[in-house]
Amino acid sequence: MKPLSLAAFAVALVLPLQAQAACRLVTADVAVTMAGLRPLVAAKIAGKPVKLLLDSGAFGSSLTASYAAQEKLSSLTAKPIGSLVPGSASTVTSGARGHDTTTGIVIAPSFEFGGSVFPDVKFLTIRDIGDAAGLVGQNLLKTTDDEYDFKDGLLRLVRPLDCETTAMAYWLKPGETYSVVPLDGEARRNAHNVALITINGQTMRAYFDTGASTSFITVHAAAKAGVKTSDPGVTPIGVSHGLDGDIKTWVGTFSSIKIGDEEIKNGKLAIGESVANDFDVLIGADFFMAHHVYVANSQGKLYFSYSGGPVFRTSAPANQTASGDTPPR
């Protein structure tokens, strides 16, 4: 997918932050509808409206195999090698459970999103994900800065101009505070938003993943932080669902969860039976609901400010018993 055209961006904002009056933001707004803790956005495939899951944890955008079949989207053909007959192209992906999955590739004749139209866009194919026809991933999101304001139902795609040294938390009112964490450079090149956080004093590799409804720490990482699923007070809550399968899940209490300058004391966090080796923690849509988040791909930084509500949730949104009911430090 080609980078978004500047012609699609309608609004320019001047940042009054610090003493850099030259910094401007050229933006395109995309409405976000929260279905529980699932952020859904509107798009068009071949001119037809669809709902897609906004998934910052996915490296590529995807459509469900059933939707692709329904719309008769063409499969990408693999090139022949020697005497081999060309077949359908595929790739291997890994999800929250840490298991590899072979994924097909289809071609949409056109894809409309955020005011831009792209021809002949390749999508991975995935299993059904509820009422969404697919998901929007980092192959699109990484081409701009991304501002997530789920409380106001908004994704803002941002092109910053002359903002290299400007703090990008421009939405703050006087006296309000924010945190900033550096993003891992190699992970950014591989289309992931990854930062280092600490849990019970242990450094953890965290994916910021709006496609995960609730945040969780892997069993291995939780044990590293001194919390085991067999400990008293750690309770099973059933299974979570990833694109690569179901994940057995518990809830444990962690004395300190620190992300940037924000610290949650004695926070409850889901523990997932994942064998993934590229992350320790998934920071999910529950965190994004409690924060205003700006992913500055242009700077390699992530800015966020607390906006209220539980930081981490461990059950359905209607029955929350979670950390963050009081503001984090």
Side-chain angles (χ1 to χ4, degrees), residues 136-150:
V136 174
Q138 283 291 340
N139 63 321
L140 187 147
L141 297 173
K142 72 177 182 180
T143 64
T144 65
D145 285 2
D146 306 307
E147 182 181 344
Y148 301 90
D149 184 6
F150 286 174

Side-chain angles (χ1 to χ4, degrees), residues 312-323:
F312 300 121
R313 307 192 188 198
T314 55
S315 60
N319 314 302
Q320 283 314 316
T321 303
S323 64

Side-chain angles (χ1 to χ4, degrees), residues 37-240:
L37 287 172
R38 302 175 72 237
L40 301 177
V41 292
K44 290 184 179 179
I45 302 288
K48 297 182 179 179
V50 294
K51 288 190 295 185
L52 301 175
L53 178 68
L54 177 59
D55 190 351
S56 66
F59 78 89
S61 299
S62 304
L63 296 172
T64 65
S66 58
Y67 177 84
Q70 170 191 307
E71 298 301 317
K72 298 181 173 58
L73 299 181
S74 300
S75 297
L76 182 66
T77 301
K79 294 181 179 180
I81 301 174
S83 60
L84 295 180
V85 177
S88 297
S90 63
T91 187
V92 175
T93 62
S94 178
R97 192 180 176 204
H99 289 195
D100 289 341
T101 303
T102 301
T103 304
I105 302 172
V106 295
I107 303 174
S110 66
F111 175 55
E112 183 175 344
F113 181 74
S116 292
V117 181
F118 309 92
D120 299 323
V121 176
K122 299 178 182 67
F123 287 88
L124 304 176
T125 54
I126 56 174
R127 69 179 189 172
D128 286 351
I129 53 172
D131 58 351
L135 57 86
V136 174
Q138 283 291 340
N139 63 321
L140 187 147
L141 297 173
K142 72 177 182 180
T143 64
T144 65
D145 285 2
D146 306 307
E147 182 181 344
Y148 301 90
D149 184 6
F150 286 174
K151 268 193 165 55
D152 285 340
L154 178 69
L155 165 70
R156 177 167 287 141
L157 305 173
V158 182
R159 286 221 185 275
L161 304 175
D162 301 317
C163 303
E164 291 81 2
T165 60
T166 301
M168 302 303 286
Y170 70 91
W171 60 87
L172 294 175
K173 298 176 181 177
E176 293 181 336
T177 60
Y178 68 95
S179 287
V180 59
V181 292
L183 294 171
D184 181 274
E186 182 177 354
R188 287 173 59 221
R189 288 188 289 273
N190 292 327
H192 290 295
N193 295 326
V194 179
L196 297 180
I197 68 173
T198 59
I199 296 183
N200 290 359
Q202 299 294 316
T203 300
M204 302 284 176
R205 184 174 167 86
Y207 272 35
F208 287 79
D209 181 4
T210 60
S213 295
T214 53
S215 304
F216 79 86
I217 184 171
T218 68
V219 168
H220 174 75
K224 178 182 173 183
V227 179
K228 297 180 180 179
T229 57
S230 58
D231 289 347
V234 176
T235 57
I237 57 170
V239 296
S240 302

